[in-house]
Amino acid sequence: MGPLKWALLGVLLSASLFAIDSVELRRNQPTERISGSAGDVLEDDPVGRLKVFVYELPSKYNKKILQKDPRCLNHMFAAEIFMHRFLLSSPVRTLNPEEADWFYTPVYTTCDLTPNGLPLPFKSPRMMRSAIQLISANWPYWNRTEGADHFFVVPHDFGACFHYQEEKAIERGILPLLQRATLVQTFGQRNHVCLKEGSITIPPYAPPQKMHTHLIPDKTPRSIFVYFRGLFYDVGNDPEGGYYARGARAAVWENFKDNPLFDISTEHPTTYYEDMQRAVFCLCPLGWAPWSPRLVEAVIFGCIPVIIADDIVLPFADAIPWEEIGVFVDEEDVPKLDTILTSIPPEVILRKQRLLANPSMKQAMLFPQPAQPGDAFHQVLNGLARKLPHDKNAFLKPGEKVLNWTAGPVGDLKPW
Amino acid sequence: MKLSALQQSYLNRRSNSFRGSAQLDSAADGSVKSPAAVFWLVLHGVCCLISLVLGFRFSRLVFFFIFSTSATNLYTAPFRGAAEIASHLDVRSTPVTGAADRVVVGRHGIRIRPWPHPDPVEVMKAHQILERVQREQRALFGVKNPRTVIAVTPTYARTFQKLHLTGVMHSLMLVPYDLVWIVVEAGGVTNETASIIAKSGLRTIHVGFRQTMPNSWEGRHKLESRMRLHALGIVREQKLDGVVMFADDSNMHSMELFDEIQNVKWIGAVSVGILLHSTDSSATIQREGEEESTPMPVQGPACNATNKLVGWHTFNSLRYAGRSAVYIDDRAPVLPRKLEWSGFVLNSRLVWKDVDDKPEWVKDLDELDGAGEEVESPLSLLKTTSMVEPLGNCGRQVLLWWLRVEARSDSKFPAQWIIDPPLDITVPSKRTPWPDAPPELPSNEKMSDGAQTQDQQINKHSTKTKTPRTRRSRTKRRHDTKVIGVQASTLSVSEQQN
């Protein structure tokens, strides 16, 4: 009876251990599996689930622009360029457009840079329009669906609204020609003109090699409670505050500038990445647009992101359960930020850190060269694959026309 | 063209403004211009010029400030541009059909709470969170199964003891692992040392050693070695389990040292920085004649490219030969031995008796006890030195620093650094609150057994100074240097001599 009892106990114990597969031990660091609203899809392999046809546009739409200004490869809108390169050599690419599920148009709309490096979106609508006119004239696939099975990467501030100022962007709205297409963009805000239903939100581009060279040993204790580096007032464009970041960043500064727990300032230290790895919380407030590369940096460095942006839609929101990973603070609750953060129970904080430590989470935020499994390129393809099969009203009957080719501001109709 | 459009709208608006319509009619006529109308016209023109020159954004700002001074001004703003800006004060919702749009474009207020300063309760909670997070980090990434650190410190009571021992004590108090502190005191256990180490809160074993500390460095090093061996005997007796490190009382240890020594298997060596306190300037003169580069003040293991121990790097003390300190209070650099004890760490099981898995290249502790010559370093415990593990990235990291600083041999310090009875006043204060108090002479019966010297300075007070209420008397004070509140002071060295 004795040995039998022990055997039974042993079996029960091992069974229970196998059941706790939510805690994997990798390199001595327990992580947790991440599953969002679409299920456990972060590690899906898109190969075999969809086929993408890449249009061959003349190089004036892509290569020549890049040659004129190679800075486009390093700024936070570089995703459009790297997506093109990835698709050209990806196994999901097909050279036979008849069997393609999705069509990609490689047009670099965010590569017209000022001397400072900021992209000017004034010519982007015309460029996009010209590209669409080209593909609808030379291939029948655009007219077949009026773009419903096409996708475009528009990583600029307000996506396909093609303006950096929110009021102007709202006025313009999404480019009418892209009304039926799927947009892959960094901008995401609920109930906003510039976020179309069915868009895929991606993280802004952050250079993976640069971040990986600044890693510090895991055992360095996290001694900074809240960390933030960046502007609080945009004195150039909004001197008295209130417009920039809807006053949220200014509120953070005014309320917490002398609080020892908040390491916040406008400096540009060389140890920015190292400091993030020594912090427990990293603030990711909105700026002129709600998204920022800080989210990507916080995830890579294991710092819990504190997102202060009302109604924001975060990257890959259906694959990543952001509510469980980050802390969301309403802009009106900013004065109570310290109370909010200190009232989070330590177990919840440790769980968030475990989720952040999951390598597939970090991988999903990056655009590495060359592409690696589970990275942001694959998440985009997974997102596109999840939208298949196409709706039946995607394919138009012959002669049916939905798009208005002359809609939009007069300036957009000029040829590019 | 823009200007005329503005003028047009301006005229239209004027009809709706609060100002008396009589003036407006006259302005619209253009025939009779009232001064107010002219004024507004001129102001309009000026503001347009400002817009052109400074740009729209800045002029918008200027207008905003002009017209935000009082609310009524909003209504009287005849300029279309300014009116537009004024209306921006209300947040404008986005033209989107959506239920309950929370986010709107426009100027928002900056929310500041009534008292925007740290709340102590929140700060405490945040520190508790940080502590929990760091504990978790240590559990995940730090040393697994940390072993007890056994620190061995030979010491004796002297002036600089408090300084040195407090430093070591504070380092040991910061060690995040279990710790046993074995303090061996030359000349027997004294209250001096006991009072210092009692404050540590650590588990201490305080033993006395029969001999008193000699006056020469040579003798001191020999005695310290014997005291350390005595401590190892205690480790053996009590079967203390852990890692033995030698924390000399005047050394400085980094916290990384304690993390690194957890990795030792049997016997390890770390690099020790040698800090020589050079007092004479003749050293610099000497250096000009020498061709060789300055030696590295480091003692420790030397490794080859494959991180295997190939030898030892010791401090080159030739340049100090003949000029080094012989007696403890010499004003000359104190040289270390070839290899200092503090650079070695042992697994405590090496000194245990009757342990099966003790490696065969280690000698028994008893064999060293009777040795006539001095045991210079723990290497004497080994039959072969090739099994020493180099720690700290193979000796590349210097984890502790060796320093010897002592006071003059005749220096005295108050027992346990408590001043009792109070000292004489050597510098009188400028203002005395008790001009007429009689001088006090308390009886001073402090006796110390066998105290060598007892300095009794009883200052005879003299007259009191008049409180220098006037500046004049301050200059006179030099003649009347007084000592108020005189006490006799006794400074004794509590050196117990057996």
Side-chain angles (χ1 to χ4, degrees):
Chain A
M1 188 51 192
L4 202 63
K5 206 161 61 161
W6 286 119
L8 194 62
L9 263 172
V11 168
L12 277 173
L13 197 64
S14 48
S16 61
L17 278 176
F18 288 131
I20 313 172
D21 59 349
S22 63
V23 178
E24 310 173 13
L25 284 144
R26 271 182 228 194
R27 298 177 279 112
N28 287 343
Q29 190 174 358
T31 59
E32 270 187 47
R33 287 207 71 83
I34 294 183
S35 54
S37 56
D40 195 354
V41 293
L42 261 190
E43 290 174 15
D44 280 355
D45 188 8
V47 177
R49 295 172 59 204
L50 79 165
K51 293 228 169 288
V52 175
F53 176 74
V54 182
Y55 283 120
E56 282 275 334
L57 287 186
S59 57
K60 72 168 180 171
Y61 289 99
N62 32 55
K63 288 207 191 63
K64 284 230 181 80
I65 299 181
L66 188 56
Q67 268 168 5
K68 261 200 299 194
D69 199 344
R71 284 180 299 174
C72 292
L73 282 173
N74 299 319
H75 66 177
M76 49 184 160
F77 309 105
E80 58 183 3
I81 303 171
F82 291 122
M83 192 77 202
H84 182 202
R85 293 189 181 176
F86 164 70
L87 283 172
L88 284 177
S89 53
S90 160
V92 304
R93 181 190 185 190
T94 168
L95 296 168
N96 178 7
E98 291 300 328
E99 63 168 10
D101 301 304
W102 286 100
F103 293 83
Y104 174 65
T105 319
V107 48
Y108 301 166
T109 51
T110 334
C111 206
D112 182 13
L113 303 185
T114 64
N116 277 350
L118 297 170
L120 289 173
F122 302 121
K123 297 212 202 110
S124 311
R126 291 160 51 196
M127 192 162 134
M128 184 64 88
R129 206 189 142 80
S130 153
I132 295 178
Q133 276 171 334
L134 198 78
I135 59 175
S136 71
N138 293 350
W139 287 275
Y141 307 103
W142 176 270
N143 293 330
R144 195 169 66 166
T145 58
E146 297 250 285
D149 56 354
H150 288 60
F151 72 94
F152 295 85
V153 181
V154 280
H156 195 237
D157 286 350
F158 288 97
C161 292
F162 292 121
H163 210 278
Y164 49 81
Q165 248 199 357
E166 190 164 5
E167 293 148 322
K168 291 269 166 44
I170 292 172
E171 250 179 66
R172 297 181 52 96
I174 296 184
L175 197 69
L177 287 180
L178 296 174
Q179 206 181 343
R180 287 168 59 88
T182 297
L183 299 175
V184 178
Q185 57 188 47
T186 49
F187 172 73
Q189 190 173 305
R190 286 189 278 275
N191 300 327
H192 198 279
V193 197
C194 299
L195 180 68
K196 213 163 79 73
E197 184 72 42
S199 301
I200 298 178
T201 333
I202 57 171
Y205 176 73
Q209 295 88 349
K210 185 165 163 216
M211 290 200 284
H212 284 136
T213 51
H214 285 271
L215 288 175
I216 62 177
D218 279 327
K219 68 188 188 88
T220 316
R222 288 190 188 261
S223 47
I224 303 176
F225 193 61
V226 177
Y227 186 76
F228 176 77
R229 288 289 182 271
L231 292 177
F232 299 101
Y233 292 93
D234 187 351
V235 268
N237 298 319
D238 176 35
E240 69 264 17
Y243 259 110
Y244 179 56
R246 295 197 276 267
R249 287 194 185 199
V252 168
W253 175 251
E254 297 300 338
N255 282 301
F256 301 111
K257 60 186 178 215
D258 59 353
N259 195 323
L261 300 172
F262 284 69
D263 186 354
I264 57 181
S265 94
T266 52
E267 286 179 359
H268 278 263
T270 46
T271 54
Y272 176 61
Y273 289 147
E274 287 84 347
D275 291 341
M276 274 190 138
Q277 293 169 76
R278 286 180 32 233
V280 176
F281 290 106
C282 288
L283 293 184
C284 304
L286 71 161
W288 286 110
W291 56 270
S292 103
R294 280 185 188 85
L295 182 71
V296 178
E297 290 160 358
V299 168
I300 301 293
F301 295 127
C303 182
I304 300 175
V306 179
I307 295 144
I308 308 173
D310 287 344
D311 284 341
I312 189 176
V313 176
L314 290 176
F316 309 127
D318 50 352
I320 301 177
W322 286 105
E323 285 285 339
E324 296 179 30
I325 293 173
V327 179
F328 287 83
V329 177
D330 290 340
E331 287 164 30
E332 61 181 9
D333 289 334
V334 165
K336 297 190 285 218
L337 190 59
D338 59 345
T339 314
I340 296 172
L341 292 179
T342 54
S343 60
I344 304 178
E347 308 81 51
V348 173
I349 294 181
L350 292 177
R351 175 160 187 262
K352 287 186 200 277
Q353 290 187 323
R354 276 200 299 273
L355 285 167
L356 282 169
N358 194 337
S360 50
M361 172 79 201
K362 296 194 208 265
Q363 192 77 311
M365 289 284 115
L366 290 176
F367 293 95
Q369 310 300 316
Q372 287 161 14
D375 64 9
F377 300 117
H378 290 85
Q379 303 303 330
V380 172
L381 292 178
N382 283 335
L384 289 171
R386 284 196 285 276
K387 292 184 82 174
L388 292 175
H390 290 296
D391 224 15
K392 49 187 190 317
N393 57 9
F395 292 92
L396 302 173
K397 302 191 229 334
E400 185 182 346
K401 284 235 170 289
V402 178
L403 287 183
N404 182 355
W405 285 75
T406 51
V410 178
D412 284 358
L413 301 176
K414 287 205 281 246
W416 180 70
Chain B
M1 182 176 146
K2 187 164 171 238
L3 218 56
S4 65
L6 272 169
Q7 289 256 7
Q8 198 75 319
S9 56
Y10 152 64
L11 288 169
N12 290 338
R13 281 217 162 228
R14 295 282 283 137
S15 53
N16 297 333
S17 80
F18 266 39
R19 304 232 172 211
S21 43
Q23 292 170 324
L24 297 173
D25 288 340
S26 57
D29 275 346
S31 52
V32 178
K33 286 220 178 351
S34 63
V38 172
F39 168 71
W40 282 117
L41 202 58
V42 168
L43 194 57
H44 185 152
V46 168
C47 290
C48 287
L49 274 173
I50 295 177
S51 290
L52 279 173
V53 169
L54 293 171
F56 176 65
R57 283 189 195 277
F58 187 74
S59 55
R60 191 172 76 167
L61 189 65
V62 169
F63 295 149
F64 176 67
F65 278 133
I66 292 173
F67 291 101
S68 67
T69 48
S70 72
T72 54
N73 276 349
L74 290 173
Y75 298 104
T76 60
F79 310 114
R80 187 185 174 93
E84 243 179 56
I85 295 155
S87 71
H88 280 191
L89 281 177
D90 316 316
V91 291
R92 214 177 44 174
S93 49
T94 60
V96 174
T97 54
D101 290 341
R102 281 199 305 160
V103 180
V104 292
V105 186
R107 180 174 304 278
H108 293 246
I110 300 172
R111 294 180 180 88
I112 306 179
R113 61 192 194 191
W115 198 68
H117 296 294
D119 178 359
V121 175
E122 306 297 341
V123 174
M124 268 321 297
K125 281 202 247 175
H127 280 286
Q128 282 160 9
I129 291 177
L130 282 177
E131 168 57 24
R132 180 73 189 85
V133 167
Q134 289 180 8
R135 208 171 46 217
E136 186 72 20
Q137 276 186 285
R138 268 200 296 273
L140 288 175
F141 307 113
V143 177
K144 305 278 178 289
N145 310 318
R147 293 182 279 180
T148 311
V149 174
I150 303 168
V152 171
T153 305
T155 182
Y156 68 106
R158 73 252 193 223
T159 308
F160 271 49
Q161 184 201 31
K162 176 98 181 182
L163 174 84
H164 295 317
L165 211 55
T166 312
V168 174
M169 183 172 79
H170 287 168
S171 303
L172 295 179
M173 283 162 76
L174 282 177
V175 173
Y177 311 110
D178 289 332
L179 194 107
V180 177
W181 192 14
I182 304 182
V183 179
V184 186
E185 189 171 353
V189 172
T190 60
N191 280 341
E192 286 289 334
T193 320
S195 64
I196 299 173
I197 65 181
K199 302 214 186 86
S200 64
L202 302 167
R203 180 176 155 206
T204 50
I205 301 176
H206 185 189
V207 290
F209 201 71
R210 294 170 319 278
Q211 230 176 302
T212 51
M213 193 58 83
N215 207 17
S216 67
W217 283 107
E218 195 55 49
R220 175 166 160 172
H221 286 138
K222 284 205 174 81
L223 188 61
E224 283 182 352
S225 300
R226 288 173 50 207
M227 293 205 281
R228 292 187 188 106
L229 285 175
H230 183 67
L232 288 180
I234 296 177
V235 170
R236 176 206 195 100
E237 241 177 276
Q238 301 196 10
K239 276 205 152 34
L240 294 176
D241 192 14
V243 179
V244 179
M245 50 94 58
F246 299 100
D248 296 346
D249 64 358
S250 52
N251 286 359
M252 177 55 63
H253 312 86
S254 72
M255 286 299 115
E256 285 80 22
L257 171 71
F258 298 100
D259 293 330
E260 194 61 30
I261 62 179
Q262 294 285 338
N263 300 331
V264 80
K265 200 160 170 305
W266 287 116
I267 176 162
V270 294
S271 289
V272 182
I274 305 292
L275 301 174
L276 292 189
H277 178 63
S278 62
T279 46
D280 49 356
S281 53
S282 56
T284 48
I285 304 168
Q286 204 88 356
R287 215 180 306 158
E288 287 169 21
E290 288 173 358
E291 286 298 316
E292 57 200 62
S293 53
T294 51
M296 278 293 174
V298 174
Q299 237 183 40
C303 293
N304 63 4
T306 58
N307 284 349
K308 282 170 68 65
L309 181 71
V310 290
W312 301 96
H313 183 269
T314 59
F315 181 63
N316 182 2
S317 46
L318 283 177
R319 57 189 10 239
Y320 294 98
R323 283 188 291 115
S324 68
V326 173
Y327 292 102
I328 288 189
D329 56 352
D330 276 354
R331 286 192 60 197
V334 181
L335 293 180
R337 321 298 280 156
K338 273 263 166 313
L339 286 172
E340 280 289 327
W341 280 78
S342 41
F344 292 94
V345 283
L346 320 166
N347 186 340
S348 62
R349 284 168 196 253
L350 280 183
V351 298
W352 283 9
K353 242 194 281 234
D354 309 326
V355 169
D356 292 330
D357 52 348
K358 209 155 65 154
E360 63 282 346
W361 38 262
V362 68
K363 296 186 213 158
D364 199 53
L365 192 62
D366 289 333
E367 294 171 38
L368 290 177
D369 247 351
E373 74 273 12
E374 177 197 346
V375 176
E376 259 211 30
S377 73
L379 292 180
S380 318
L381 258 183
L382 310 177
K383 293 184 194 141
T384 149
T385 56
S386 56
M387 302 306 290
V388 176
E389 304 149 41
L391 298 174
N393 196 5
C394 211
R396 288 192 199 95
Q397 275 179 306
V398 174
L399 296 172
L400 71 153
W401 292 268
W402 180 97
L403 173 70
R404 292 286 180 265
V405 177
E406 296 297 343
R408 287 165 51 124
S409 51
D410 60 345
S411 78
K412 297 167 207 9
F413 65 100
Q416 296 186 30
W417 288 95
I418 294 173
I419 299 173
D420 179 36
L423 301 169
D424 347 320
I425 300 169
T426 51
V427 178
S429 64
K430 290 192 195 307
R431 296 178 69 90
T432 59
W434 311 283
D436 297 310
E440 290 173 12
L441 256 185
S443 58
N444 185 21
E445 285 351 299
K446 178 141 183 191
M447 313 265 234
S448 38
D449 311 334
Q452 273 197 327
T453 52
Q454 221 176 29
D455 284 331
Q456 280 225 335
Q457 297 157 10
I458 302 172
N459 255 350
K460 306 242 175 346
H461 72 289
S462 331
T463 60
K464 298 276 163 306
T465 28
K466 302 243 178 345
T467 52
R469 291 214 178 87
T470 63
R471 253 178 226 140
R472 191 176 46 90
S473 55
R474 228 189 272 155
T475 54
K476 273 206 184 158
R477 258 186 2 124
R478 224 171 288 137
H479 308 296
D480 311 326
T481 325
K482 300 295 172 278
V483 176
I484 315 296
V486 161
Q487 299 274 342
S489 75
T490 312
L491 300 172
S492 61
V493 174
S494 57
E495 188 119 49
Q496 304 291 339
Q497 299 259 327
N498 279 27

